[in-house]
Amino acid sequence: MQQIVNGLFIGSVYGLFAVGYTLVFGVLKQLNLAHAMSFTWGAIAGLWTFQKGAPLPAAFLAAVGTGMIIGILLDKFIFGPLIRRGDSHLSGLVASVGLSLVLSAIALAVFGADTERFPADAFPDKRFTVGGVTFTVVQLAVAGTAIGLVLLLTWTIKSTKYGRGLRAVSENVDAARILGINVQRITLATFALSSALGAIAGMLFALAFNVVYLDMGADVELKGIAAMIIGGLGSVPGALIGGLIIGMAEVLSITHISSEWKDGITFFVLFIVLLVRPQGILSRLPGREL
Amino acid sequence: MSTPQRSAGRRAVKLVGVAAAAALTLAGCGSSSDTGASSEKGTVSGGKCELKDTVKIGAVFSQTGPLAAYGASQAKGAKLAIKEFNKEGGVKYELAIEDDTSQAPIGVARFKKLVDEKVVGIVGPTSSTIAFAAMPPTNAAKVNVVAVSNTAPGIAEIGDYVFRVSLPETTQIPAAVKVAKAKDNIKKVGLIYDQSDAASKAGHDLFVQAFKDEGIELVADKAFASGDVDFSAQLTEIKKTHPDAIVIASLAEEGGPVISQARKMGIDVPLIGNNGMNSPQIIKIAGSDANGLIVGSAWSPSLDTPENNAFLAAYQAEYGAAPDQFAPQVYTAMLTLKSAVDSACSTDATKVRDELAKLSDFKAPIGTFSFDKIGDIQQDALVLQIEDGKYVVAE
């Protein structure tokens, strides 16, 4: 039972991270490979703000702000110009890898290759036990924030003006434009939102395991993409469910097989899901080729 | 998956070529009677050796990357040693220091660079994993290596030119287990270790053997990999077995978080660690959670000898802080090289090697020790315990 909680905990962070992928994919049918950099930069910005003596909410705001800047950069300089040129799906993908390398090099220059941490004993060390399962305050806060944000986002897409616009653009860009929807603004907002979510996921990961390092984004990148595919491309709740499944698979493979097999088992789960349900768990769309 | 390993993998493609070339060149050197270092015979006047040129000592440490916590301290020890040597007069020394970025292929290339620069000996590297890659070609090139923090078995066995001043875990771990057992009446233990790090894996095997010798039951044995950040699955499994102590064989970057996460989960039993857990970095990461951790050690600031007190004073004056065990180990390694160069009164690597091999009852900051016939250190282990955020001698 404790292991299931452990899996759900890490899985909720993967899920939130995967939501960022799925948003961009849902709207643009594009895979944004710079998303992992929002994760890393979110954590770095949060850590720096916290180290300057700011309270935790300010650190979160710094992470969100950094994520949004990366999102706006992505839209203005990478995906936007390429789409206006009648982009094939591939050039956006490759260009986002380019931006990711640039952001990674900047991080190396200003942050360095060393692992940094929040000061020891920085957070309340409270824990409580329910039915033999132990939770810590940080764990509950992290999982609660991740799941809460995904639910909020699902509601936003369903019930707000932005959400309706987003769904229209996702359905058919030209039709949306004819209907008077500002496609460019929707796209920009989606990139900013997606990257901000990635940055929050990075910040939560940093808090959960008290670790910030250069390649932290690269370490969760494939897991995020796998979570998106398992949940169903373009489905926000699906990405969360995919993340939770991957978190569980990781924990169970450590306990029942060996920690060496952790990543292998994760992708074996992806393989099985693709065999049984190629469109992913929650997607109504037929399987799409990436 | 581990970050350093992944980036090492990328760079390895490029560096495999370099490393292979280095190995071939060095193997070639080894078959001739040449030595890697340029040799110069000095003159002895008034009992003191005098050499015309400055003697260059090489050092390779992991000053960036996951091992930076150890490497930075080692670099300080090396720089302090050179400064103190040159104060004494006589032979002039200089230091050529390199960063292996915590990666084995880079370490191989840095050793090769120092061999080409004709240093009289190389101090380092920081990790056993890098030592196993970089030392064989250096030994083949007949350049002396003094290992300072490689505690895995089989280091001094690499060759005639390889020496080691770090007390191997074969001595440290049984000593730590014995003290912990007596102190806390330990009957069964849970073990967690880094299976991707050579020294931690070796530490794990030595712990298993020590438990067998002491009649302690091993109730859980769980592994992780370097670069992992979440240990909750392993610790949950260990917690279920209700051990009397948690035993950790890991480097500080993972070992520190293992301690914090264990305490957060409510595992409040005593802790025992290997050499990697003997680092101020553990206290920095885990804070008060680390109190009570028992480790075997090669050195302690409470070691009350003239050599150690002089070292402590010099270190405090230079850096305004107290050293960990890695700085005095490096200082000691530098001393052995200096002593060998001075008594050979030559920079000929083979002559220096012969003097190194003769060292016995050598007095240094880490205590009095001798080299055995394979060049490994002969000394008794200290057992330390963290109390109020400090490593002190365990009673």
Side-chain angles (χ1 to χ4, degrees):
Chain A
M1 188 59 202
Q2 177 77 54
Q3 296 293 13
I4 293 175
V5 172
N6 292 339
L8 293 179
F9 170 54
I10 177 82
S12 66
V13 177
Y14 291 156
L16 183 65
F17 179 62
V19 165
Y21 278 118
T22 217
L23 265 182
V24 168
F25 196 90
V27 180
L28 291 176
K29 319 291 178 283
Q30 292 266 13
L31 190 58
N32 167 22
L33 284 182
H35 192 52
M37 277 298 126
S38 313
F39 189 86
T40 308
W41 271 101
I44 292 177
L47 177 73
W48 275 346
T49 314
F50 193 80
Q51 281 174 342
K52 293 265 184 307
L56 205 51
F60 266 99
L61 282 180
V64 169
T66 309
M68 289 176 92
I69 291 170
I70 293 175
I72 291 167
L73 284 177
L74 272 168
D75 183 61
K76 290 282 176 210
F77 296 105
I78 308 290
F79 286 99
L82 287 171
I83 287 167
R84 282 195 288 282
R85 277 184 218 165
D87 167 40
S88 72
H89 286 173
L90 206 57
S91 56
L93 184 106
V94 173
S96 69
V97 173
L99 181 69
S100 145
L101 290 175
V102 170
L103 289 172
S104 162
I106 296 174
L108 178 65
V110 300
F111 181 78
D114 298 339
T115 300
E116 287 204 36
R117 294 168 203 282
F118 294 94
D121 313 320
F123 305 111
D125 195 10
K126 261 213 179 105
R127 59 168 181 272
F128 31 92
T129 309
V130 183
V133 182
T134 308
F135 304 88
T136 67
V137 173
V138 174
Q139 264 181 330
L140 279 184
V142 166
T145 311
I147 293 170
L149 279 173
V150 174
L151 293 179
L152 182 69
L153 185 67
T154 313
W155 175 82
T156 307
I157 290 173
K158 212 169 168 161
S159 313
T160 63
K161 188 170 173 237
Y162 162 71
R164 283 191 292 275
L166 182 77
R167 279 183 289 146
V169 173
S170 149
E171 205 69 43
N172 187 324
V173 179
D174 295 327
R177 196 172 279 127
I178 290 165
L179 288 173
I181 290 169
N182 187 337
V183 174
Q184 273 192 29
R185 194 194 293 165
I186 294 278
T187 314
L188 177 68
T190 306
F191 268 112
L193 182 61
S194 152
S195 296
L197 290 173
I200 295 177
M203 181 68 193
L204 290 176
F205 187 90
L207 281 180
F209 303 115
N210 194 10
V211 62
V212 177
Y213 57 103
L214 200 59
D215 281 355
M216 59 191 291
D219 283 351
V220 298
E221 185 171 25
L222 285 176
K223 286 169 193 161
I225 294 176
M228 166 179 75
I229 297 170
I230 289 174
L233 297 173
S235 163
V236 169
L240 178 63
I241 291 171
L244 295 177
I245 290 176
I246 286 180
M248 295 297 306
E250 254 186 39
V251 166
L252 294 178
S253 58
I254 290 172
T255 55
H256 292 287
I257 304 165
S258 157
S259 71
E260 280 170 318
W261 285 85
K262 190 177 72 179
D263 293 334
I265 298 293
T266 302
F267 292 106
F268 185 68
V269 170
L270 173 63
F271 178 70
I272 297 291
V273 169
L274 285 178
L275 272 186
V276 179
R277 203 176 150 79
Q279 71 273 43
I281 292 171
L282 283 192
S283 184
R284 280 163 287 114
L285 306 166
R288 212 191 313 247
E289 280 175 31
L290 271 175
Chain B
M1 189 188 283
S2 143
T3 307
Q5 281 174 340
R6 172 151 346 120
S7 36
R10 275 192 217 124
R11 276 169 217 170
V13 177
K14 276 185 248 162
L15 279 160
V16 152
V18 177
L24 282 174
T25 326
L26 298 176
C29 276
S31 61
S32 79
S33 63
D34 268 3
T35 57
S38 67
S39 58
E40 188 210 347
K41 183 78 187 123
T43 51
V44 183
S45 69
K48 255 195 164 176
C49 167
E50 275 173 21
L51 289 170
K52 193 160 72 337
D53 294 330
T54 304
V55 176
K56 201 175 201 179
I57 298 180
V60 180
F61 304 126
S62 304
Q63 296 175 69
T64 55
L67 302 173
Y70 310 101
S73 175
Q74 293 178 318
K76 283 183 180 169
K79 285 172 189 158
L80 180 65
I82 290 290
K83 201 172 166 192
E84 296 292 313
F85 294 173
N86 287 333
K87 268 188 202 160
E88 287 172 23
V91 181
K92 285 261 164 266
Y93 289 90
E94 70 170 306
L95 179 68
I97 190 162
E98 298 285 341
D99 176 15
D100 61 33
T101 71
S102 308
Q103 299 176 59
I106 309 275
V108 173
R110 294 292 183 266
F111 267 75
K112 165 86 168 83
K113 180 167 178 254
L114 291 174
V115 168
D116 292 344
E117 286 178 11
K118 309 210 180 300
V119 296
V120 67
I122 301 173
V123 174
T126 304
S127 92
S128 297
T129 312
I130 299 171
F132 284 122
M135 282 180 182
T138 312
N139 181 67
K142 300 192 176 178
V143 170
N144 297 295
V145 185
V146 185
V148 284
S149 54
N150 317 131
T151 49
I155 295 287
E157 286 83 345
I158 287 172
D160 287 347
Y161 289 81
V162 179
F163 295 85
R164 167 158 79 174
V165 299
S166 47
L167 200 61
E169 302 214 281
T170 45
T171 313
Q172 288 184 22
I173 284 177
V177 169
K178 201 168 271 180
V179 169
K181 185 191 174 194
K183 224 175 142 66
D184 298 309
N185 189 28
I186 288 161
K187 294 191 183 68
K188 52 179 189 171
V189 292
L191 181 53
I192 178 165
Y193 72 105
D194 182 344
Q195 63 187 0
S196 63
D197 175 66
S200 303
K201 176 79 180 64
H204 162 270
D205 299 344
L206 290 167
F207 270 122
V208 171
Q209 185 58 44
F211 298 146
K212 218 175 263 169
D213 296 344
E214 294 288 327
I216 295 170
E217 189 192 351
L218 182 60
V219 288
D221 188 358
K222 295 286 160 190
F224 59 87
S226 297
D228 281 1
V229 295
D230 181 8
F231 309 98
S232 55
Q234 291 92 334
L235 289 169
T236 302
E237 290 296 298
I238 292 174
K239 191 184 176 189
K240 275 188 212 158
T241 63
H242 301 290
D244 299 327
I246 302 282
V247 182
I248 307 165
S250 166
L251 295 168
E253 283 298 324
E254 287 80 24
V258 166
I259 295 178
S260 329
Q261 289 180 25
R263 293 304 190 218
K264 283 204 176 71
M265 288 170 61
I267 303 176
D268 293 323
V269 296
L271 303 164
I272 308 170
N274 67 332
N275 189 55
M277 302 296 286
N278 184 8
S279 157
Q281 188 72 5
I282 293 286
I283 295 161
K284 205 175 139 201
I285 295 171
S288 58
D289 288 341
N291 283 339
L293 172 71
I294 292 176
V295 293
S297 182
W299 176 82
S300 162
S302 48
L303 195 64
D304 191 14
T305 63
E307 292 79 18
N308 193 36
N309 290 334
F311 165 77
L312 285 170
Y315 193 96
Q316 185 72 39
E318 181 75 19
Y319 301 112
D324 57 18
Q325 66 161 342
F326 297 96
Q329 282 180 325
V330 168
Y331 196 97
T332 300
M334 302 283 289
L335 267 182
T336 61
L337 279 171
K338 173 183 158 53
S339 160
V341 168
D342 287 354
S343 27
C345 203
S346 162
T347 54
D348 181 286
T350 304
K351 285 184 184 139
V352 171
R353 190 219 85 86
D354 294 342
E355 290 300 325
L356 275 175
K358 280 188 224 157
L359 284 188
S360 119
D361 291 331
F362 189 71
K363 290 192 188 331
I366 63 165
T368 304
F369 66 92
S370 308
F371 283 129
D372 65 10
K373 62 179 185 302
I374 58 164
D376 211 348
I377 186 172
Q378 292 285 308
Q379 199 187 14
D380 291 331
L382 278 167
V383 177
L384 307 182
Q385 180 162 31
I386 300 181
E387 268 174 32
D388 299 325
K390 268 193 190 130
Y391 287 95
V392 298
V393 177
E395 282 147 24

